Amino acid sequence: MSRYWFLNPRTLLPIMTAFLLVIAVACGSSDTDTVAPAAKAPAAKAPAAKAPAAAAKAPAAKATAVPSGAVPTAVPARVTSAQATQAPVVATSGQYGGVARMSAYADTKDWDPRGSSSLSSIQAVSQLYNQLVQMDTADTSQIVCDLCDSWEITNGGETFTFKIRDGIKWIDGDDLTAEDIHYSMLRYGDLDGPTGRSGLWRNYVLEAKNGGVNLIDDNTIEFNLQFASGAFMRFLAVDYVKTLPKKALEIGLDLNQAETIIDNQLGSGPFVLDEYQRGNFYKVSKNENYFKDGRPFFDGIDHFIITDTGTLLAQFKAGQLDMSNGGFTNLAPTQAFELEKDTGGDYRPEAVSPSADWGLMMNIKKAPFNDARVREAIQLAIDYQQWNDLVFDNTSGVGCPLMGMAHSFEECNTWPGLRPKDGPGGADDVARAKALMAEAGYPDGFKTRYDVRQVGTYPDQCTVVKENLKSVLGIDGEMTTYPSAAGYAFFGTSRSPDSDGDWELACQGEGQVVLDVDGIMGGVYLKGATRNYTDWENAEVNAWFDAQKQEPDPAKRVEINKEMETFLFTQQDNHWVTLGWGILQWIIGPDIRGFNAPETVQTHFKHEDLWLDR
């Protein structure tokens, strides 16, 4: 049992179940009968037929803030005109001045968010640019305007029209207009380009260049959806969907280089990039001409890239850091809680929702991982309770592929492989795993390799998995670690259709962009997904995804997702073993004010509403 009872899975399960039940009651009743994983995948439901286009557009609904929540459905009614205010809910006053000192868990991989899948990158980029809409920094469940002044919803919930604020300037003094936003959205919405996290919203709109995103005038931009969806706005509001300067992109400036940004003074955000030393730090200063009156409060921020946990803890304890610049810090939960204890509560961990999808990636382009029997044996052999205990002090949620938003954590905990090895059925799971290996032609196991980014708990996670597979199945191999950006590049060697890639097994996480099944799918299970490095694709999974994302009835959507989750769990066709769902934590120091924990680890990196009380 965890010493931190409030993060123990036994505590989390009823809390999350009750929360989802409240949502389901609000949106419609839900069937909660247990559905055990089947040995054979159920037939995929065909996507719902699209309703005929309305003869006339429905009256416009003046939009306000959109609650995003951990909602198990994308319901058009979630986008309404009677929620709160259009403007962000921010503190009316704060203390100006001072340079904040923040830790960064890894070096920055990308300075251009197009196609980016790197949390370490958006932590750096976000403070330099703005978005059309963003998650509010006070009421973090709300979506509010950033570059826009208002929006309205018409055509039965399928058309979103945004009015852009007047007087927005790029750092060089030129106007930022809807033309810049339109150009950026076309880049992110390009179906031939990488999806990354900046392009996840394109799953909901018509093809961007063919009416999905339209420039109406210098102050108006329009999105036309394939179907009414509340999920669309949540994906549009993540920090990756930044507006970049059209003029810079058109003349071929490489905005993926920090030097380009510094030399050309690019950006519109609350801070300006001044200096970047690869592997060491990046520093920003206040944008004195920022279009939001009274923001930001800091004179600047110094971000120190600290990958060694011992050094990080020492820096916090010595008061050399004010906070981490995100929820991924390289600290295990136990280390974060011990830091709070050792500093008398001066440094506190602020938990983000349990939405980090920890997984074992398998390169299915390589034998023997292209054999479903081997994949199933691996899934059955891992001791998930030991993994959770040794790495996360029993704070992680059970390894349901869809994070408890289809089958509950409680249901998944009874499934073969996920159930405790020392409990009912555990010995049967081990025996089944060995039989599958023998059937596949590997009765004594085989040699493989583990490649891991040297950040966070990834090496520790893979160490446990490696020992499990060696002792149970005879699968043995060396583990190699890489700096963060190098690891991403290494995994990317399998992206090309004509390349198998250079890796075999790897432990990796996918921090959810939004708390919705669609976020999990866009992160792991769709072609081009953030962590789908082999570009694995399955027609049945695609059909389930399309059907559930269009289903407005919460109960029906859950049932579709249960079918999809059952199939993914069987490993008949998959590339990812879900190890568990983790809680990530920002470390906040005694002088920081204005911080409110976001819903997911992928937002709130502009830091424009924070200030120093010293």
Side-chain angles (χ1 to χ4, degrees), residues 322-371:
D322 293 305
M323 61 180 288
S324 61
N325 68 0
F328 196 101
T329 63
N330 289 324
L331 298 180
T334 301
Q335 292 173 309
F337 296 128
E338 290 297 330
L339 173 63
E340 182 178 28
K341 177 182 177 182
D342 292 345
T343 62
D346 281 349
Y347 288 89
R348 66 187 191 277
E350 291 277 358
V352 181
S353 299
S355 58
D357 186 354
W358 305 128
L360 176 68
M361 300 195 301
M362 300 174 289
N363 188 340
I364 58 170
K365 289 185 174 182
K366 289 179 175 287
F369 306 107
N370 56 355
D371 189 322

Side-chain angles (χ1 to χ4, degrees), residues 259-496:
E259 293 78 11
T260 303
I261 297 172
I262 294 170
D263 293 345
N264 293 275
Q265 289 290 281
L266 299 177
S268 63
F271 296 98
V272 181
L273 183 62
D274 295 325
E275 189 177 2
Y276 170 52
Q277 282 192 11
R278 284 174 176 77
N280 292 320
F281 63 80
Y282 48 93
K283 298 182 179 183
V284 298
S285 60
K286 181 175 184 176
N287 180 0
E288 298 290 352
N289 296 313
Y290 193 42
F291 66 92
K292 295 183 184 179
D293 289 341
R295 296 297 185 270
F297 292 103
F298 297 145
D299 288 334
I301 307 174
D302 292 347
H303 301 262
F304 300 98
I305 300 165
I306 306 174
T307 59
D308 178 73
T309 55
T311 301
L312 180 62
L313 288 168
Q315 291 288 305
F316 276 125
K317 291 177 182 178
Q320 297 301 306
L321 295 168
D322 293 305
M323 61 180 288
S324 61
N325 68 0
F328 196 101
T329 63
N330 289 324
L331 298 180
T334 301
Q335 292 173 309
F337 296 128
E338 290 297 330
L339 173 63
E340 182 178 28
K341 177 182 177 182
D342 292 345
T343 62
D346 281 349
Y347 288 89
R348 66 187 191 277
E350 291 277 358
V352 181
S353 299
S355 58
D357 186 354
W358 305 128
L360 176 68
M361 300 195 301
M362 300 174 289
N363 188 340
I364 58 170
K365 289 185 174 182
K366 289 179 175 287
F369 306 107
N370 56 355
D371 189 322
R373 295 167 297 186
V374 172
R375 295 195 299 270
E376 185 181 355
I378 289 173
Q379 180 165 270
L380 288 167
I382 296 170
D383 189 332
Y384 300 90
Q385 286 72 33
Q386 183 188 63
W387 169 89
N388 191 3
D389 181 41
L390 293 178
V391 182
F392 293 107
D393 195 31
N394 288 315
T395 62
S396 280
V398 180
C400 302
L402 298 184
M403 200 177 76
M405 289 188 282
H407 296 93
S408 69
F409 283 165
E410 193 171 42
E411 289 172 317
C412 296
N413 206 33
T414 66
W415 289 359
L418 292 183
R419 55 194 177 188
K421 294 292 185 288
D422 59 355
D428 294 337
D429 295 345
V430 171
R432 173 63 178 162
K434 292 179 177 179
L436 285 166
M437 287 288 286
E439 184 181 326
Y442 304 99
D444 300 317
F446 54 82
K447 290 286 186 180
T448 187
R449 57 183 290 181
Y450 295 81
D451 294 293
V452 188
R453 291 166 57 233
Q454 183 64 50
V455 295
T457 59
Y458 294 140
D460 296 334
Q461 292 186 48
C462 248
T463 296
V464 175
V465 171
K466 178 176 177 291
E467 291 306 311
N468 287 166
L469 298 185
K470 179 181 178 181
S471 63
V472 176
L473 302 178
I475 298 175
D476 195 11
E478 296 300 317
M479 184 167 66
T480 304
T481 60
Y482 302 84
S484 180
Y488 280 133
F490 196 69
F491 300 148
T493 59
S494 60
R495 284 281 192 193
S496 174

Side-chain angles (χ1 to χ4, degrees), residues 43-64:
K45 290 185 178 179
K50 197 173 188 303
K57 287 191 174 184
K62 198 69 176 178
T64 56

Side-chain angles (χ1 to χ4, degrees), residues 199 205 456 546:
V205 304
D546 286 339

Side-chain angles (χ1 to χ4, degrees), residues 102-396:
M102 301 187 186
S103 65
Y105 79 92
D107 203 353
T108 301
K109 175 178 175 286
D110 311 299
W111 289 94
D112 181 346
R114 180 176 185 255
S116 178
S117 62
S118 171
L119 175 61
S120 61
S121 296
I122 205 59
Q123 289 172 342
V125 171
S126 187
Q127 60 202 319
L128 311 181
Y129 301 103
N130 292 89
Q131 303 142 237
L132 187 57
V133 290
Q134 67 177 29
M135 302 307 299
D136 189 65
T137 59
D139 183 350
T140 58
S141 68
Q142 302 286 332
I143 296 171
V144 293
C145 274
D146 190 13
L147 291 174
C148 72
D149 184 58
S150 66
W151 72 82
E152 63 181 17
I153 308 161
T154 57
N155 193 26
E158 294 185 10
T159 298
F160 285 66
T161 305
F162 297 85
K163 290 294 182 182
I164 310 307
R165 296 187 189 212
D166 290 323
I168 305 175
K169 301 287 186 181
W170 294 105
I171 292 172
D172 64 7
D174 285 354
D175 291 334
L176 188 160
T177 70
E179 191 170 353
D180 293 294
I181 300 172
H182 180 246
Y183 193 86
S184 295
M185 295 306 109
L186 290 180
R187 290 181 80 228
Y188 302 145
D190 179 8
L191 298 182
D192 294 324
T195 304
R197 289 168 176 152
S198 58
L200 290 172
W201 54 268
R202 72 193 194 192
N203 287 319
Y204 305 89
V205 304
L206 302 175
E207 189 171 359
K209 64 183 180 182
N210 292 324
V213 185
N214 298 317
L215 178 65
I216 306 303
D217 56 44
D218 282 351
N219 291 95
T220 311
I221 188 169
E222 174 189 86
F223 291 80
N224 288 299
L225 277 59
Q226 303 169 34
F227 50 87
S229 171
F232 160 70
M233 283 291 283
R234 295 201 289 277
F235 284 106
L236 195 64
V238 298
D239 280 31
Y240 294 81
V241 194
K242 295 296 184 184
T243 292
L244 304 184
K246 177 183 177 183
K247 60 184 181 182
L249 294 168
E250 282 187 320
I251 64 174
L253 291 182
D254 185 359
L255 273 62
N256 209 34
Q257 300 298 319
E259 293 78 11
T260 303
I261 297 172
I262 294 170
D263 293 345
N264 293 275
Q265 289 290 281
L266 299 177
S268 63
F271 296 98
V272 181
L273 183 62
D274 295 325
E275 189 177 2
Y276 170 52
Q277 282 192 11
R278 284 174 176 77
N280 292 320
F281 63 80
Y282 48 93
K283 298 182 179 183
V284 298
S285 60
K286 181 175 184 176
N287 180 0
E288 298 290 352
N289 296 313
Y290 193 42
F291 66 92
K292 295 183 184 179
D293 289 341
R295 296 297 185 270
F297 292 103
F298 297 145
D299 288 334
I301 307 174
D302 292 347
H303 301 262
F304 300 98
I305 300 165
I306 306 174
T307 59
D308 178 73
T309 55
T311 301
L312 180 62
L313 288 168
Q315 291 288 305
F316 276 125
K317 291 177 182 178
Q320 297 301 306
L321 295 168
D322 293 305
M323 61 180 288
S324 61
N325 68 0
F328 196 101
T329 63
N330 289 324
L331 298 180
T334 301
Q335 292 173 309
F337 296 128
E338 290 297 330
L339 173 63
E340 182 178 28
K341 177 182 177 182
D342 292 345
T343 62
D346 281 349
Y347 288 89
R348 66 187 191 277
E350 291 277 358
V352 181
S353 299
S355 58
D357 186 354
W358 305 128
L360 176 68
M361 300 195 301
M362 300 174 289
N363 188 340
I364 58 170
K365 289 185 174 182
K366 289 179 175 287
F369 306 107
N370 56 355
D371 189 322
R373 295 167 297 186
V374 172
R375 295 195 299 270
E376 185 181 355
I378 289 173
Q379 180 165 270
L380 288 167
I382 296 170
D383 189 332
Y384 300 90
Q385 286 72 33
Q386 183 188 63
W387 169 89
N388 191 3
D389 181 41
L390 293 178
V391 182
F392 293 107
D393 195 31
N394 288 315
T395 62
S396 280

